Amino acid sequence: MLNSLEESLENRFADTKEGVVHASQIVNFKLWLKDSNEDFDDHVATLGNHFRPVLEQAGVDVDLLDTEWTMLKAVLYKRHANLQDLTWEVVNTAYGDRFPNILSLVDLVLTLPASSADCERGFNHMKMIKSDWRSKLRSDRVTDLMLILLHSPSIETFDPTEAIHQWNSTGARAKRPETVPYGCRETSGSQAVHTSQESDSESEVSDTESEVTDTVADDSDDESGRED
């Protein structure tokens, strides 16, 4: 049973013993043993050929990878006694100018995800953001919201002071021409009612003015009759 289980595991992870996945072990300093005959030269060639288009687009000279790899190994073995405690951040800071091509390849390998968990997590967050109620969100807005959700600090530790200052300093937003400054915008029905009310008011004012005119005329006639 154990032999069958071991065989199944080997078949399941057979790609880790060859190809790009197997060649990626050059970034693991725990495998850099001085008494080991493993020099990873073949691994560098495998990675360089596989990522050649990406590396050349980034300005990396792929033909110099093998040479810089040999020189970098010699320097690290000579100047660092305990390689297992070494980090690539330290190597990049100390030797980034001397070996830019091979360290660019190392940076590329280190960015490869070890599993698809981050991708699945990102899809779940995207479904939470772009729901049926927000289906018209543009792609750039979705990207910004996902960056905020995935890489921002928690609400318990977030200090909104800087964001508030930036919001206030950007100025007022442009308003639409039809925007009503205060209160709710009137609908067509309410506008019709308002128009009819204005018409009724105007007619009432006209009737009142005619009544006043008639009254004044009657008083004038009475005064002229008295004088006669």
Side-chain angles (χ1 to χ4, degrees):
M1 179 178 178
L2 293 179
N3 293 332
S4 177
L5 180 60
E6 182 181 358
E7 183 178 358
S8 299
L9 290 174
E10 290 180 354
N11 294 332
R12 174 63 179 83
F13 300 100
D15 55 347
T16 61
K17 295 184 178 181
E18 59 183 7
V20 177
V21 178
H22 180 64
S24 300
Q25 64 181 341
I26 66 172
V27 299
N28 187 2
F29 282 115
K30 298 185 182 299
L31 301 177
W32 285 40
L33 303 178
K34 291 185 177 182
D35 55 351
S36 176
N37 294 325
E38 185 70 50
D39 54 7
F40 302 125
D41 292 341
D42 295 337
H43 298 346
V44 174
T46 301
L47 294 174
N49 293 330
H50 181 78
F51 295 111
R52 178 180 288 271
V54 179
L55 294 173
E56 290 180 347
Q57 186 177 3
V60 177
D61 192 346
V62 180
D63 296 332
L64 295 178
L65 291 178
D66 292 334
T67 303
E68 291 190 2
W69 173 250
T70 303
M71 297 173 62
L72 178 62
K73 285 191 305 178
V75 171
L76 295 181
Y77 280 131
K78 181 179 180 180
R79 298 186 179 181
H80 300 275
N82 192 358
L83 291 176
Q84 295 187 358
D85 295 335
L86 192 62
T87 62
W88 285 108
E89 182 179 2
V90 175
V91 175
N92 273 287
T93 303
Y95 309 106
D97 297 334
R98 294 181 56 184
F99 312 108
N101 298 293
I102 187 62
L103 291 180
S104 297
L105 176 61
V106 171
D107 290 340
L108 176 60
V109 174
L110 290 175
T111 59
L112 299 177
S115 65
S116 61
D118 291 337
C119 299
E120 297 295 336
R121 192 178 299 111
F123 281 119
N124 291 334
H125 286 304
M126 185 179 66
K127 291 179 181 179
M128 294 170 57
I129 294 173
K130 194 171 183 179
S131 60
D132 294 339
W133 292 90
R134 309 174 73 184
S135 59
K136 293 185 178 181
L137 283 175
R138 301 192 306 270
S139 58
D140 56 344
R141 182 61 58 85
V142 174
T143 301
D144 294 339
L145 293 175
M146 288 188 64
L147 287 175
I148 294 174
L149 183 61
L150 294 174
H151 300 289
S152 296
S154 62
I155 193 64
E156 291 81 7
T157 59
F158 176 68
D159 184 9
T161 304
E162 183 177 355
I164 294 174
H165 289 329
Q166 183 177 0
W167 175 269
N168 292 331
S169 62
T170 53
R173 294 184 177 180
K175 295 183 178 180
R176 292 178 296 178
E178 298 84 2
T179 301
V180 178
Y182 303 99
C184 299
R185 185 179 300 174
E186 295 178 337
T187 60
S188 58
S190 60
Q191 290 178 353
V193 173
H194 185 65
T195 303
S196 61
Q197 290 177 352
E198 289 182 350
S199 301
D200 296 339
S201 300
E202 291 178 355
S203 60
E204 291 177 359
V205 171
S206 300
D207 296 339
T208 304
E209 290 179 351
S210 61
E211 291 177 359
V212 171
T213 303
D214 295 339
T215 303
V216 172
D218 294 339
D219 292 342
S220 300
D221 294 338
D222 293 340
E223 290 180 356
S224 60
R226 291 174 184 174
E227 291 178 356
D228 294 340

